[in-house]
Structures are given as C-alpha cells and as structure tokens.
Amino acid sequence: WRAGLCPVMSRANHECDGSARFEWDENMRVERLYAAAPIAAGTEIFITYTADFTTTAERLEHLRTTKGFDCGCGPCRLPPAEAAARDALIREARALVEDEVPAAVEAASAPGAEDSAFTDLAAAAERAAALCQRLGPGERLAAADVVLTVLDVAMRTAQPAETQRRWAALAVAALEQRSAKTAKWR
C-alpha cells in the first residue's frame, strides 16, 4: 500500500469522464498526470475516482460506498436511453480489453502459435481501440495501452516486418498522443 501527501496532484476533482488520469511510474517512483483530452489553460482538471470501463450503476455504487457522495457529472446525468447505450459500449469494451485481448495475447504468444492467432489478436485490439475512442478520455488512454500490448506481441513473436512496422507506427502515434497530453502543472 502506498500513501503520500500530494498537494499539487490533489487539485484535480472527480468527473466520471475525467479530462486526465494518474499513473504511477514505478521506475521513477512518481505519480504522473496525463491529459486524456486537450485541456485549455485555466480549465479545471478532472480525474475519475472509478476504474476504467465501469457502467453508470457501477460508478454510482462505488462512489457512494467508497467516497460518500452521489455523483452528478455529465455521464451520470445522461437520460436513461443514452446511459443504457453508453453502458452497452462500456461492457463491450471491458470484455474486449479485460478478456478477449488478454486471451488473444496468450494464444498469439504461445510457442508454435499459428499466424491466425496474431491476426485474431490484432482484430480484437482494433475493435477495442475503436470502442475506446467512442467512450471517455480515460478509455482513450486505455486504447493506447492495447496498441502497445499488440506491438510487444508482434515483436516477441517475430511477426512479418510489415506487421511489425504497422503496429510500431500505431504505437508511436499512441505514445505521441500520450506524451503530447501530459498535463503540466504550473
């Protein structure tokens, strides 16, 4: 368990579609704040107090029981039909990112794996990234993590050079997006 006093980082408030997210850098032993979408100067920075890929009901319950408040942010106030459609996307993205992509990584990484295993992984990753782009800013950063995972598998399993180049280009774009959106506190 880690704890600390973070007077600058604690300035970010909660919103379920936060404009930024924290990530712990174990190597540097620092907490980093990444902008998940462009943030104009002078605009309040929001983070989410919930995990990625949580439905409206899951978020509201988590915030009520662990943080002691009822959230009233934009995603939590969506009309029922819009909330249901968003929650369906969240469940689909969660299944891809938490279940299908890891299973495909395992299959593609296995010794003697067929080329079709990597093709299946790439297809699952592309579907996950496309879904994440339709969701909130935090999920968009999760899409970058999926792309980096696929690049790692492509390199480790000696996929054809054109496949490695394609996923390397996607990974570079994802990393550029992440680094360009690193929030700077002044």
Side-chain angles (χ1 to χ4, degrees):
W1 190 75
R2 67 175 195 259
L5 180 61
C6 304
V8 175
M9 293 294 210
S10 66
R11 294 180 189 173
N13 286 318
H14 167 78
E15 186 174 82
C16 288
D17 266 350
S19 57
R21 74 188 284 168
F22 288 119
E23 287 188 10
W24 177 252
D25 183 332
E26 186 61 38
N27 293 330
M28 299 296 291
R29 309 227 11 101
V30 297
E31 189 89 42
R32 297 194 188 279
L33 181 65
Y34 291 95
I39 302 172
T43 302
E44 186 172 6
I45 296 175
F46 291 99
I47 59 169
T48 183
Y49 297 168
T50 62
D52 290 338
F53 308 114
T54 52
T55 64
T56 304
E58 293 165 340
R59 289 191 319 272
L60 289 171
E61 177 64 20
H62 172 77
L63 293 169
R64 199 173 295 119
T65 59
T66 66
K67 306 297 182 195
F69 72 92
D70 290 321
C71 187
C73 72
C76 290
R77 290 180 306 181
L78 288 173
E82 288 180 45
R86 185 178 193 280
D87 288 348
L89 285 176
I90 287 169
R91 281 190 290 279
E92 186 178 354
R94 179 170 52 199
L96 280 163
V97 170
E98 294 179 0
D99 300 325
E100 192 172 334
V101 169
V105 165
E106 188 174 327
S109 300
E114 299 289 325
D115 287 341
S116 62
F118 186 82
T119 302
D120 292 345
L121 168 60
E126 287 173 346
R127 286 194 320 276
L131 276 173
C132 290
Q133 292 300 323
R134 294 173 58 194
L135 293 169
E139 283 83 4
R140 289 185 201 119
L141 286 177
D145 293 337
V146 170
V147 169
L148 294 171
T149 298
V150 176
L151 173 61
D152 177 59
V153 172
M155 301 302 279
R156 284 189 294 111
T157 60
Q159 292 298 311
E162 64 272 6
T163 301
Q164 290 184 20
R165 279 194 294 276
R166 177 173 178 266
W167 284 95
L170 290 170
V172 166
L175 288 171
E176 286 174 346
Q177 180 181 18
R178 283 185 92 147
S179 64
K181 292 182 177 182
T182 301
K184 302 269 190 227
W185 290 88
R186 300 256 183 242

